[in-house]
Amino acid sequence: MRRTALLAAAAALVAGVLAWPADAAPHTFVHPGVTVSQGQLDFARSKINAGAQPWKGAFDQMMASKYADPDRTPEPRAVVECGPYSNPNHGCTDEREDAIAAYTQAFAWYVTRDERHARKAIELMDAWSAVIKDHTGSNAPLQTGWAGSSWPKAAEIIKYTYSGNWAGSGRFATMLRTVYLPEIINGSHSNGNWELSMTEAAVGISVFLEDKASYDKAMARFRTRTAAYVYLDSDGDLPKTVPSQNLDTRDKIIKYWQGQSTFVNGISQETCRDFTHTGYGLSAISHVAETSRIQGQDLYGTDVGERLRHGLGFHAKYQLGAAVPAWLCGGSLELGLGPVSEVGHNALANRLGHAMTNTGTLTLRGRPAGSNNLFVAWETLTHGDNPA
């Protein structure tokens, strides 16, 4: 009787696991688990301490940056007001850069075990959690997404690897839950990089808060937006759309795609706008996919990975100098992809074995990848050829 019951229980457990959707919250969250895992931290630390390249050079670059300054003074404010292209800029740069600095200091602590870095990360997080109440202005959702992508990466490292006291961790969690999450969790109907960055922040915050409902909501939005951001031939004659945007005619879709009417594997909704904003979107896709992998559900083997692989490869080709055909954006591209390829290249080429020649060439050429001063930072250091 007992054996029968055990077999039934085991069968139910297996069935539950098999039925677990690929983008659902894990039964138990993994920490640290926002973009960077414990194994990745340990791998990077071992390589840096051994003086191995490119990690040692990437670490030296990080430590020479303004974000690792041991005397950095936080610049919090109650209301951060951001207009288009951060005009007006009332606390926008300060918030984003303090969040990147908190992550930088947390990573520096992990590598060096110098408690001054852990305390500085805590000082930065505590300063903002004590003051900020709101984001306003037309760019408030995007600003919240950018800063909200860096804060949980810092908090995960400090909370789960630093043995010292962080008395303000509860207040910091409250800040993320009440100030950041409501601004980003319902997404955006703007260009796709907005919603992807906002969703990256929502996923990371949900991991730190261990909020399964928010994680599931953010991941569902991520899957829909990623499919609408990077085209695959399998999508058909026209790109996929986000249903709530009511892009229900060919003309509306082409207008939304910056006038582009020919679609090939890897082209993005913002390719004909510029590569910089496209890079923001591709980076956010890679960050969410990496967080999902750490949390136990690997999206790189789904259409997410295919879209990221083709998206990186398509844009890397032209970033490297390939001639632009007349059918693509009228024969003219605005380049500037940014330091965004390390995470995706490591996952798709190194782990999964996909041939990514152009992406690999661009990644090597850009090493060590620094920061875009918005939400991307130090990814040669954390993900360059990192097998963990």
Side-chain angles (χ1 to χ4, degrees):
M1 191 73 168
R2 175 181 289 183
R3 186 170 181 270
T4 302
L6 287 173
L7 288 172
L13 178 60
V14 170
V17 170
L18 292 176
W20 186 18
D23 50 3
H27 297 297
T28 303
F29 283 99
V30 176
H31 304 289
V34 176
T35 311
V36 185
S37 69
Q38 181 87 52
Q40 289 168 324
L41 289 168
D42 289 339
F43 175 84
R45 182 171 187 254
S46 69
K47 292 296 186 180
I48 293 162
N49 289 338
Q53 300 296 351
W55 305 277
K56 180 61 166 62
F59 182 71
D60 291 344
Q61 174 200 44
M62 184 188 83
M63 295 304 290
S65 75
K66 61 185 176 182
Y67 299 113
D69 182 355
D71 298 319
R72 184 181 184 89
T73 301
E75 298 288 347
R77 62 174 65 208
V79 178
V80 174
E81 181 185 2
C82 306
Y85 297 94
S86 294
N87 182 23
N89 183 343
H90 297 153
C92 315
T93 301
D94 291 337
E95 180 189 30
R96 294 192 306 264
E97 294 193 351
D98 275 351
I100 292 173
Y103 172 57
T104 302
Q105 298 281 349
F107 196 94
W109 136 256
Y110 195 86
V111 172
T112 66
R113 295 300 196 265
D114 183 338
E115 291 206 18
R116 290 176 297 178
H117 293 299
R119 290 195 294 269
K120 179 59 67 174
I122 290 170
E123 178 189 349
L124 289 158
M125 292 187 285
D126 283 353
W128 279 90
S129 69
V131 172
I132 190 166
K133 300 297 181 185
D134 198 10
H135 295 87
T136 64
S138 60
N139 265 31
L142 181 60
Q143 170 72 20
T144 308
W146 281 341
S149 295
S150 297
W151 286 129
K153 290 195 292 187
E156 284 278 299
I157 293 173
I158 294 300
K159 182 172 182 179
Y160 292 100
T161 73
Y162 177 57
S163 60
N165 183 39
W166 182 17
S169 63
R171 186 179 70 195
F172 184 81
T174 298
M175 175 193 79
L176 294 181
R177 183 178 297 282
T178 61
V179 178
Y180 286 79
L181 198 56
E183 186 72 41
I184 56 180
I185 192 63
N186 292 316
S188 165
H189 290 161
S190 186
N191 283 301
N193 82 86
W194 275 52
E195 186 159 86
L196 288 165
S197 290
M198 293 163 65
T199 303
E200 176 188 342
V203 168
I205 288 169
S206 297
V207 170
F208 183 72
L209 297 177
E210 298 196 328
D211 183 338
K212 294 185 178 183
S214 293
Y215 185 95
D216 286 347
K217 184 174 183 178
M219 288 299 297
R221 190 175 300 279
F222 169 73
R223 293 297 295 271
T224 300
R225 175 59 73 174
T226 298
Y229 194 68
V230 180
Y231 175 83
L232 292 178
D233 289 343
S234 57
D235 294 338
D237 292 338
L238 292 170
K240 291 181 178 294
T241 63
V242 175
S244 59
Q245 289 189 271
N246 298 313
L247 299 173
D248 51 7
T249 69
R250 178 181 177 84
D251 287 346
K252 287 181 181 179
I253 292 171
I254 289 172
K255 182 179 180 181
Y256 185 61
W257 279 65
Q258 322 292 327
Q260 180 66 20
S261 58
T262 300
F263 305 101
V264 299
N265 273 334
I267 193 170
S268 162
Q269 181 255 314
E270 295 188 90
T271 299
C272 296
R273 179 188 185 187
D274 58 59
F275 274 31
T276 300
H277 287 89
T278 301
Y280 299 164
L282 293 174
S283 180
I285 291 170
S286 71
H287 293 164
V288 175
E290 193 72 358
T291 296
S292 178
R293 183 188 72 90
I294 294 166
Q295 296 305 322
Q297 293 294 299
D298 196 339
L299 296 180
Y300 289 117
T302 71
D303 78 296
V304 170
E306 278 295 282
R307 293 178 196 278
L308 180 60
R309 179 168 72 91
H310 284 291
L312 287 172
F314 180 88
H315 294 88
K317 173 183 175 180
Y318 295 107
Q319 187 68 41
L320 290 168
V324 183
W327 61 263
L328 178 59
C329 307
S332 178
L333 295 171
E334 185 174 333
L335 304 179
L337 197 59
V340 302
S341 63
E342 286 278 16
V343 176
H345 182 263
N346 188 54
L348 295 162
N350 293 342
R351 287 199 206 107
L352 296 184
H354 291 294
M356 298 178 70
T357 304
N358 288 323
T359 304
T361 299
L362 185 66
T363 299
L364 290 174
R365 185 175 295 182
R367 286 183 174 175
S371 175
N372 69 356
N373 304 311
L374 300 173
F375 70 105
V376 179
W378 325 126
E379 293 183 350
T380 298
L381 183 57
T382 55
H383 291 81
D385 303 331
N386 191 326

